[in-house]
Amino acid sequence: MVGSRVNKAPKKWTSFRTVIGASGLFAVVFGGLLYLAGLQLASTYRAQTVSADPLKLPKSHIVAAVSTTSSTLEQPHTAPTQGTGSVQTCVPYTASLAPSQINLTTHHDGLTKVIDTPNFYQIYGNDAATLRAEVRRCAPKSTGDTAQYTAQTIYRISWQYSYVHDSASMCHVIHAKVGVHIGQILPFWQPTTTANAGLSGDWQAFMTALTTHENGHTALDAQYAQTLLDDLNGFPSTACDQLPGAVQYVANNDIGMLDQANDNYDSSTDHGATQGAILP
């Protein structure tokens, strides 16, 4: 069986969340002295643009979050380059954002973490106001013409386990596996020879703080993937016909706790502003 759910929550201009799922797989096998009752697989995807609100947009520019769907990362993992000639105009980022699902059947029991090198979308400009306008126009969008966020941290969590009979009607979980695949999308800017004095230093300080903020979300994603693994490994013996649903309930709860932890992190940091992710 493969399970999934869709979730979304309103966020500030830089935020939206998405969960994508799939349908099920159930296998019955026999082995050794134990009757292997089933193999369970599930995956949850969420895009967290729970990122900094660094451009200090007027409140009129703050919009509610919306959900979206996407499948695989397509953008190169290297920052684009820019010469020192005349100012150019950015190209809206249209690549898919979702990390691929980790194939847990090829991994050992336990936690598998895959953290991608960040992707970048390029912006141009000689002053902070232009950079803000470029972000609004060319950062990844969920809908409309104006971007709702500056950066994203995206994860897909997958889990897999088998279960065996303790008795005629009771079963327990074995061979638990959890995979978490995490990606980021960040802005990239390189100053021209005519950029305002001090803008380069301001941008570097902003990017350092923005990356710190996004890495905080990465750490939370990995932490709660470990929590899910711990809950699978410690799952109590349960009636066999109820075990898949009971495990799904616990997994949903753990992912809900991760969702709340990311919300709390954004609230406590003002979406990165208290960490310095503000472009003057």
Side-chain angles (χ1 to χ4, degrees), residues 155-175:
Y155 71 77
R156 186 189 292 269
I157 290 179
S158 307
W159 61 96
Q160 175 181 307
Y161 63 93
S162 300
Y163 58 92
V164 297
H165 279 274
D166 295 329
S167 64
S169 62
M170 302 295 288
C171 289
H172 72 270
V173 171
I174 61 170
H175 300 311

Side-chain angles (χ1 to χ4, degrees), residues 17-164:
R17 291 174 183 249
T18 305
V19 177
I20 303 172
S23 61
L25 168 65
F26 182 86
V28 177
V29 295
F30 295 88
L33 299 177
L34 293 176
Y35 171 47
L36 188 59
L39 173 67
Q40 305 292 313
L41 306 172
S43 172
T44 292
Y45 160 79
R46 181 171 292 121
Q48 308 158 188
T49 56
V50 280
S51 62
D53 195 3
L55 304 182
K56 281 201 161 181
L57 295 177
K59 289 185 181 301
S60 61
H61 288 290
I62 299 174
V63 297
V66 298
S67 63
T68 186
T69 60
S70 50
S71 56
T72 58
L73 286 169
E74 298 170 0
Q75 195 75 351
H77 291 306
T78 56
T81 59
Q82 174 182 337
T84 57
S86 60
V87 175
Q88 303 178 51
T89 301
C90 64
V91 176
Y93 186 97
T94 58
S96 180
L97 300 172
S100 60
Q101 180 174 331
I102 296 173
N103 181 9
L104 293 174
T105 60
T106 63
H107 289 80
H108 296 297
D109 297 354
L111 180 64
T112 299
K113 291 189 294 184
V114 177
I115 302 176
D116 291 335
T117 302
N119 285 343
F120 295 88
Y121 64 94
Q122 185 163 8
I123 61 174
Y124 302 91
N126 288 333
D127 55 72
T130 302
L131 297 185
R132 295 186 189 102
E134 288 273 290
V135 168
R136 289 195 293 270
R137 197 172 75 85
C138 292
K141 303 174 183 66
S142 54
T143 187
D145 296 326
T146 300
Q148 297 172 288
Y149 44 86
T150 301
Q152 286 193 65
T153 296
I154 315 110
Y155 71 77
R156 186 189 292 269
I157 290 179
S158 307
W159 61 96
Q160 175 181 307
Y161 63 93
S162 300
Y163 58 92
V164 297

Side-chain angles (χ1 to χ4, degrees), residues 79-83 87-88 120-128 130-131 134-135 186-204 206-207 279:
T81 59
Q82 174 182 337
V87 175
Q88 303 178 51
F120 295 88
Y121 64 94
Q122 185 163 8
I123 61 174
Y124 302 91
N126 288 333
D127 55 72
T130 302
L131 297 185
E134 288 273 290
V135 168
L186 302 167
F188 176 82
W189 173 75
Q190 183 174 320
T192 66
T193 55
T194 54
N196 284 0
L199 185 60
S200 179
D202 289 342
W203 179 261
Q204 291 302 319
F206 156 63
M207 283 301 298
L279 184 64

